[in-house]
Amino acid sequence: MSSQIDHLLDENRRFAPSAEFAAQANGTAELYERAAADREGFWADQARELLHWHTPFTEVLDWSNPPFAKWFGDGELSVAYNCLDRHVEAGNGDRVAILFEGEPGDTRRITYAELTAEVKKAANMLESLGIGQGDRVAIYLPMIPEAVIAMLACARVGAIHSVVFGGFSADSLRSRLDDAAARLVITADGGYRKGKVSPLKPAVDQALADRGTGAQETVEHVVVVRRGGNDVAWTEDRDLWWHDLLDQASAEHEARPFPAENPLYILYTSGTTGKPKGVVHTSGGYLTQAVFTNKYILDIHPDTDVFWCTADIGWVTGHTYVAYGPLALGATQVMYEGTPETPQPGRWWDIVQKYGVTILYTAPTAIRSFMKQGRQIPQQYDLSTLRLLGSVGEPINPEAWIWYRDIIGGGKTPIVDTWWQTETGATMIAPMPGVTSTKPGSAQVPLPGISVDVVDEQGNRVENGNGGLLVVTEPWPSMLRGVWGDPERFTETYWAKFADQGYYFAGDGARKDEDGDIWLLGRVDDVMNVSGHRLSTTEIESALVAHEATAEAAVVGAKDDTTGEAVVAFVILKESYLAVHTPEGLATQLRVWVSEQIGPIARPRDIYIVGELPKTRSGKIMRRLLRDVADGREVGDTTTLADTAVMSIISAQVK
Ligand code: WTA
């Protein structure tokens, strides 16, 4: 087993689960057999076992009008009851639901009984404002417990929430409020980020300021949580304090059931056009797969584990693995408000040590940034409680995977690399940690009851050992039910490419290895064509990151007169290498390295050593902007970048 950070890329490394881990794991190989024998029956069993139904369903999947699915269509349930009341009724009211850590260091320990009481009050508050089934409520909050309380309160009254990430601008917020025709906005005065209060309410005021926009017409009230303590402008009659309303609200509220297909939320995700794309999820199928994956892939044991998913509730990961899945399972979880490096670079590891976190679920971008700082930071903390690590959001390069396992997981924790999307609602492809022998860099196998494949442009499945397009071949419980207000866009975006076969096209490239395990290769829009060879960004980036000097890399195809496209790499070096090497020397070394690792065809024409890479606010690299730089074009729209200054720095460095 490797204990080095810097190891040669070696695709043959395998990590079988230890006998000890396998013995306690929730998931067993039998689940795959059951699902293979009767896929729909399997999901029906899961829905019955994992959830409480006020009205049991008799229908499982209705696929009579594809691509519009109904799961458990004649059943009724309350999502909020499943996440709250039933745990209290089962005698677990004293179990901690949320261990909240604010960025300044303030803490709150919220039990299931307390969380249930708060959500009941918030549900009464919503109803007192006239919000009921089908109404849209926008939630624009920091990572504080009120975010989860607001989401569950919407679910409790049958309203549809649309969480807008707190880092989005007034313009982004406005376009989302308009598209959803929201009646209510729940926000805060501000939240803590990087040691300061980052205000939120002014963006809401600005989004609602221009007369004549949709949101100006539909939004009736703005409910404001006090968090930052900063002054806020106040619009009489429209604006209301959360704490005033909750103080007045009764703590009694009966959880009413809603149909399984009642919409639970809209979550906007970036599309190819400027218009935001509102992915719609419903209740019964979504919650089934959310709980299923929390239990069997993340292996959460509610009575002993302390789970921490680091995603913001503004992303789908924060919906399924903070708000809904862990709570429906009755788990105890950590919720952290701030940034990883505040007030010092070891903050996350301090939190793991302080709360005894046992399962950590995070993104490759975070792991790579910790690698850049060096292992000496996490090694100052006791991380021995960790027993399982998860990854989501991007392909995790084998070197980052090994580092994660060795340095964070003490060389012993299984790693589950989970592939899924906002659209899929929950994990689709991942190892099952007590069953699957893991391979660094591969998401490996579809979950029991999920059918995926890799196909060519015509939709023919490719043989093992080949790459192509990743498709989902059968409907699944937590699938998106549509694009808000735009059924044509739903069909066109996801189902048109393989309409004959009826496959869902995810937009990702993938490869099946000789064992049939799946390796994600990045978005197909990012694939490069060099002298007629289609090369994946992920593989070249992984080779670059496997070099001892490299912390992070992004690869794009730039126009080239001879080869059509040429590989251009943007590389961030580890801090310890910056001091002792010249960028030119390292660029030459890396070029040779890539041709040795993958082959001369993949050898980058240009390598730029940079200090930062352009990333979206959820941490994904925006290769489109790097292509602009590589082609010498003016850099395109940077408004969705986490840090809009990054592109001018990179352009200057490249010049
Ligand atoms: C990428 C996040 C490789 C992929 C849950 C997908 C991944 C997009 C992985 C969805 C993974 C997510 N390996 N790639 N384990 N997980 N992706 O909607 O390109 O924010 O299509 O959902 O992220 O991103 P989204």
Side-chain angles (χ1 to χ4, degrees):
M1 176 184 312
S2 156
S3 58
Q4 289 293 117
I5 301 179
D6 313 305
H7 219 81
L8 282 189
L9 186 88
D10 175 2
E11 296 188 352
N12 299 317
R13 285 174 288 193
R14 298 284 181 278
F15 298 87
S18 67
E20 192 196 350
F21 191 97
Q24 63 78 54
N26 289 329
T28 59
E30 193 241 321
L31 288 169
Y32 292 98
E33 289 156 29
R34 272 169 62 193
D38 175 9
R39 207 176 53 85
E40 287 177 30
F42 173 79
W43 283 119
D45 288 347
Q46 297 308 322
R48 289 190 193 104
E49 270 171 49
L50 299 172
L51 300 181
H52 173 83
W53 294 83
H54 279 74
T55 311
F57 56 88
T58 61
E59 296 159 12
V60 182
L61 168 65
D62 177 354
W63 193 234
S64 57
N65 179 29
F68 299 90
K70 291 194 183 112
W71 281 87
F72 317 123
D74 61 346
E76 288 187 317
L77 79 170
S78 161
V79 170
Y81 177 85
N82 273 284
C83 294
L84 301 163
D85 312 54
R86 69 163 166 161
H87 306 311
V88 179
E89 288 169 15
N92 292 321
D94 291 338
R95 183 184 294 163
V96 175
I98 298 178
L99 291 159
F100 172 70
E101 168 110 353
E103 198 190 69
D106 56 319
T107 61
R108 283 162 74 186
R109 233 172 137 266
I110 306 173
T111 63
Y112 272 94
E114 289 163 346
L115 190 65
T116 305
E118 284 301 292
V119 172
K120 286 180 177 177
K121 284 197 247 172
N124 283 322
M125 177 263 285
L126 290 176
E127 285 177 344
S128 74
L129 297 174
I131 300 295
Q133 185 175 7
D135 287 328
R136 273 81 62 202
V137 176
I139 298 176
Y140 185 63
L141 284 172
M143 264 311 265
I144 55 175
E146 283 75 10
V148 171
I149 294 167
M151 291 163 84
L152 291 170
C154 288
R156 199 172 182 96
V157 304
I160 306 171
H161 61 69
S162 162
V163 181
V164 179
F165 175 57
F168 278 140
S169 66
D171 273 347
S172 314
L173 176 62
R174 181 194 292 125
S175 61
R176 286 158 176 73
L177 294 174
D178 286 353
D179 189 76
R183 289 187 60 194
L184 181 72
V185 181
I186 302 177
T187 188
D189 50 356
Y192 289 90
R193 265 187 70 79
K194 301 191 179 169
K196 292 197 294 270
V197 174
S198 164
L200 284 166
K201 172 92 175 12
V204 178
D205 292 335
Q206 204 184 326
L208 298 180
D210 300 331
R211 278 247 154 246
T213 72
Q216 175 60 240
E217 306 296 321
T218 60
V219 172
E220 293 157 22
H221 290 289
V222 177
V223 174
V224 188
V225 177
R226 179 136 62 204
R227 168 65 186 152
N230 46 321
D231 288 341
V232 289
W234 208 251
T235 303
E236 285 307 324
D237 301 331
R238 188 196 70 183
D239 297 351
L240 305 160
W241 284 111
W242 167 279
H243 57 261
D244 284 345
L245 296 170
L246 257 68
D247 282 351
Q248 295 157 16
S250 153
E252 289 309 314
H253 186 276
E254 204 189 326
R256 259 196 310 139
F258 294 96
E261 286 295 338
N262 199 51
L264 182 61
Y265 64 83
I266 305 170
L267 186 58
Y268 288 89
T269 178
S270 54
T272 42
T273 68
K275 193 169 155 7
K277 186 167 63 183
V279 168
V280 178
H281 283 291
T282 60
S283 304
Y286 171 76
L287 201 61
T288 299
Q289 203 172 326
V291 190
F292 180 82
T293 50
N294 273 272
K295 178 167 181 180
Y296 294 109
I297 301 299
L298 294 168
D299 195 45
I300 300 177
H301 294 62
D303 41 355
T304 47
D305 278 314
V306 178
F307 175 63
W308 184 19
C309 166
T310 64
D312 191 279
I313 41 112
W315 314 120
V316 73
T317 309
H319 284 60
T320 307
Y321 299 99
V322 179
Y324 290 111
L327 295 178
L329 200 55
T332 298
Q333 67 178 319
V334 169
M335 182 175 192
Y336 171 57
E337 177 185 31
T339 55
E341 66 283 359
T342 308
Q344 39 83 11
R347 183 66 186 273
W348 274 22
W349 316 121
D350 187 46
I351 292 172
V352 169
Q353 173 178 286
K354 177 171 173 185
Y355 295 105
V357 173
T358 58
I359 304 171
L360 178 70
Y361 189 36
T362 192
T365 179
I367 299 160
R368 290 189 300 259
S369 76
F370 294 126
M371 285 174 79
K372 182 166 106 187
Q373 294 161 353
R375 62 175 72 181
Q376 62 285 354
I377 292 168
Q379 282 175 343
Q380 289 160 22
Y381 299 87
D382 177 6
L383 307 180
S384 62
T385 49
L386 288 170
R387 62 176 199 86
L388 177 67
L389 302 174
S391 173
V392 58
E394 276 182 292
I396 175 165
N397 324 110
E399 288 318 297
W401 194 105
I402 294 286
W403 191 91
Y404 194 26
R405 179 179 161 104
D406 283 351
I407 307 305
I408 306 306
K412 64 175 190 340
T413 52
I415 293 189
V416 286
D417 175 10
T418 62
W419 179 88
W420 60 294
Q421 309 177 297
T422 304
E423 292 85 346
T424 70
T427 296
M428 302 289 281
I429 307 177
M432 195 174 285
V435 177
T436 317
S437 282
T438 51
K439 299 178 179 178
S442 172
Q444 294 188 288
V445 285
L447 307 197
I450 298 295
S451 304
V452 305
D453 211 337
V454 180
V455 299
D456 63 19
E457 283 287 335
Q458 286 71 46
N460 305 309
R461 82 170 342 172
V462 305
E463 297 298 321
N464 285 356
N466 293 299
L469 309 176
L470 183 70
V471 291
V472 186
T473 59
E474 299 287 348
W476 65 100
S478 64
M479 65 197 288
L480 77 165
R481 299 302 198 263
V483 171
W484 182 255
D486 201 343
E488 272 163 39
R489 193 171 180 193
F490 171 57
T491 307
E492 194 48 42
T493 310
Y494 303 107
W495 303 91
K497 189 166 177 75
F498 298 115
D500 293 347
Q501 296 85 352
Y503 294 164
Y504 167 87
F505 176 49
D508 282 350
R511 176 171 76 82
K512 288 193 286 194
D513 69 16
E514 297 304 336
D515 303 324
D517 282 332
I518 291 172
W519 297 70
L520 276 303
L521 298 177
R523 304 289 299 167
V524 285
D525 301 342
D526 292 332
V527 166
M528 296 159 291
N529 195 326
V530 180
S531 306
H533 297 273
R534 283 166 68 77
L535 303 181
S536 125
T537 50
T538 304
E539 288 191 335
I540 305 176
E541 287 163 7
S542 290
L544 285 163
V545 176
H547 188 278
E548 57 183 8
T550 308
E552 203 163 0
V555 161
V556 298
K559 288 205 181 65
D560 189 278
D561 290 342
T562 19
T563 56
E565 280 188 312
V567 178
V568 174
F570 297 80
V571 172
I572 302 181
L573 299 178
K574 286 192 191 131
E575 280 166 10
S576 52
Y577 280 83
L578 278 171
V580 288
H581 292 277
T582 63
E584 297 75 25
L586 278 168
T588 310
Q589 271 189 41
L590 287 173
R591 220 173 282 125
V592 175
W593 170 264
V594 172
S595 34
E596 285 168 5
Q597 296 292 303
I598 303 187
I601 184 79
R603 176 195 181 102
R605 183 189 73 189
D606 306 312
I607 293 190
Y608 298 111
I609 308 291
V610 294
E612 296 284 347
L613 290 171
K615 289 189 184 155
T616 63
R617 285 160 211 262
S618 66
K620 293 191 210 302
I621 297 170
M622 287 186 74
R623 293 182 185 73
R624 165 175 71 77
L625 299 176
L626 294 173
R627 271 198 297 273
D628 292 342
V629 174
D631 281 337
R633 272 193 305 273
E634 190 163 339
V635 173
D637 182 8
T638 58
T639 48
T640 56
L641 279 180
D643 175 0
T644 44
V646 158
M647 281 320 295
S648 30
I649 298 170
I650 293 174
S651 304
Q653 278 174 323
V654 166
K655 278 194 188 113

